[in-house]
Short mmCIF file of all heavy atoms in Angstrom, two decimals:
data_model
loop_
_atom_site.label_atom_id
_atom_site.label_comp_id
_atom_site.label_asym_id
_atom_site.label_seq_id
_atom_site.Cartn_x
_atom_site.Cartn_y
_atom_site.Cartn_z
N GLN E 58 60.72 63.96 -9.84
CA GLN E 58 60.86 64.99 -10.87
C GLN E 58 62.02 65.92 -10.54
O GLN E 58 62.08 66.51 -9.46
CB GLN E 58 59.57 65.82 -10.99
CG GLN E 58 59.60 66.85 -12.10
CD GLN E 58 58.29 67.60 -12.25
OE1 GLN E 58 57.51 67.74 -11.31
NE2 GLN E 58 58.01 68.08 -13.47
N THR E 59 62.95 66.03 -11.47
CA THR E 59 64.06 66.97 -11.36
C THR E 59 64.18 67.73 -12.66
O THR E 59 63.67 67.29 -13.71
CB THR E 59 65.40 66.25 -11.07
OG1 THR E 59 65.68 65.36 -12.16
CG2 THR E 59 65.35 65.47 -9.78
N ILE E 60 64.87 68.85 -12.59
CA ILE E 60 65.06 69.66 -13.79
C ILE E 60 65.87 68.87 -14.82
O ILE E 60 65.56 68.89 -16.01
CB ILE E 60 65.77 70.98 -13.45
CG1 ILE E 60 64.90 71.81 -12.51
CG2 ILE E 60 66.10 71.76 -14.72
CD1 ILE E 60 63.62 72.30 -13.13
N VAL E 61 66.90 68.18 -14.36
CA VAL E 61 67.82 67.52 -15.28
C VAL E 61 67.22 66.25 -15.87
O VAL E 61 67.27 66.02 -17.08
CB VAL E 61 69.15 67.19 -14.56
CG1 VAL E 61 70.06 66.38 -15.47
CG2 VAL E 61 69.84 68.47 -14.12
N GLN E 62 66.62 65.42 -15.02
CA GLN E 62 66.14 64.10 -15.47
C GLN E 62 64.67 64.11 -15.87
O GLN E 62 64.20 63.14 -16.49
CB GLN E 62 66.35 63.06 -14.36
CG GLN E 62 67.81 62.84 -13.98
CD GLN E 62 68.60 62.20 -15.10
OE1 GLN E 62 68.06 61.50 -15.96
NE2 GLN E 62 69.89 62.44 -15.12
N GLY E 63 63.95 65.14 -15.52
CA GLY E 63 62.52 65.16 -15.81
C GLY E 63 61.76 64.24 -14.86
O GLY E 63 62.13 64.10 -13.70
N LEU E 64 60.73 63.60 -15.37
CA LEU E 64 59.87 62.74 -14.56
C LEU E 64 60.32 61.29 -14.71
O LEU E 64 60.33 60.75 -15.80
CB LEU E 64 58.42 62.87 -15.01
CG LEU E 64 57.72 64.15 -14.55
CD1 LEU E 64 56.66 64.58 -15.56
CD2 LEU E 64 57.09 63.93 -13.20
N GLU E 65 60.68 60.69 -13.58
CA GLU E 65 61.18 59.32 -13.59
C GLU E 65 60.28 58.44 -12.72
O GLU E 65 59.97 58.80 -11.59
CB GLU E 65 62.58 59.26 -13.00
CG GLU E 65 63.64 60.08 -13.70
CD GLU E 65 64.94 60.02 -12.92
OE1 GLU E 65 65.03 60.67 -11.86
OE2 GLU E 65 65.85 59.29 -13.37
N PHE E 66 59.94 57.30 -13.24
CA PHE E 66 59.17 56.31 -12.49
C PHE E 66 60.04 55.69 -11.41
O PHE E 66 61.22 55.38 -11.63
CB PHE E 66 58.70 55.22 -13.46
CG PHE E 66 58.14 53.99 -12.79
CD1 PHE E 66 56.83 53.97 -12.33
CD2 PHE E 66 58.93 52.86 -12.63
CE1 PHE E 66 56.32 52.84 -11.73
CE2 PHE E 66 58.42 51.72 -12.03
CZ PHE E 66 57.11 51.71 -11.58
N LEU E 67 59.45 55.51 -10.23
CA LEU E 67 60.16 54.85 -9.16
C LEU E 67 59.58 53.46 -8.86
O LEU E 67 60.27 52.45 -8.96
CB LEU E 67 60.12 55.69 -7.88
CG LEU E 67 60.88 57.02 -7.92
CD1 LEU E 67 60.65 57.80 -6.63
CD2 LEU E 67 62.36 56.79 -8.16
N THR E 68 58.28 53.42 -8.50
CA THR E 68 57.71 52.15 -8.07
C THR E 68 56.19 52.18 -8.23
O THR E 68 55.58 53.24 -8.39
CB THR E 68 58.09 51.84 -6.62
OG1 THR E 68 57.72 50.50 -6.28
CG2 THR E 68 57.44 52.82 -5.64
N TYR E 69 55.58 50.98 -8.13
CA TYR E 69 54.16 50.83 -8.46
C TYR E 69 53.57 49.72 -7.59
O TYR E 69 54.18 48.65 -7.46
CB TYR E 69 54.06 50.51 -9.95
CG TYR E 69 52.82 49.82 -10.48
CD1 TYR E 69 51.55 50.21 -10.09
CD2 TYR E 69 52.96 48.81 -11.43
CE1 TYR E 69 50.44 49.59 -10.63
CE2 TYR E 69 51.84 48.19 -11.97
CZ TYR E 69 50.59 48.58 -11.57
OH TYR E 69 49.49 47.97 -12.11
N PHE E 70 52.41 50.00 -7.00
CA PHE E 70 51.65 49.02 -6.24
C PHE E 70 50.29 48.81 -6.91
O PHE E 70 49.68 49.74 -7.40
CB PHE E 70 51.38 49.52 -4.80
CG PHE E 70 52.62 49.69 -3.98
CD1 PHE E 70 53.36 50.86 -4.03
CD2 PHE E 70 53.06 48.67 -3.14
CE1 PHE E 70 54.49 51.04 -3.27
CE2 PHE E 70 54.20 48.83 -2.36
CZ PHE E 70 54.92 50.02 -2.43
N ARG E 71 49.83 47.58 -6.86
CA ARG E 71 48.46 47.28 -7.30
C ARG E 71 47.80 46.46 -6.22
O ARG E 71 48.33 45.41 -5.83
CB ARG E 71 48.46 46.55 -8.64
CG ARG E 71 47.04 46.33 -9.20
CD ARG E 71 47.09 45.82 -10.63
NE ARG E 71 47.78 44.55 -10.73
CZ ARG E 71 48.56 44.20 -11.75
NH1 ARG E 71 48.78 45.04 -12.73
NH2 ARG E 71 49.15 43.02 -11.77
#
Side-chain angles (χ1 to χ4, degrees):
Chain E
Q58 184 177 25
T59 60
I60 297 294
V61 175
Q62 298 293 334
L64 284 149
E65 300 175 285
F66 168 82
L67 293 175
T68 190
Y69 158 45
F70 296 86
R71 185 170 61 216

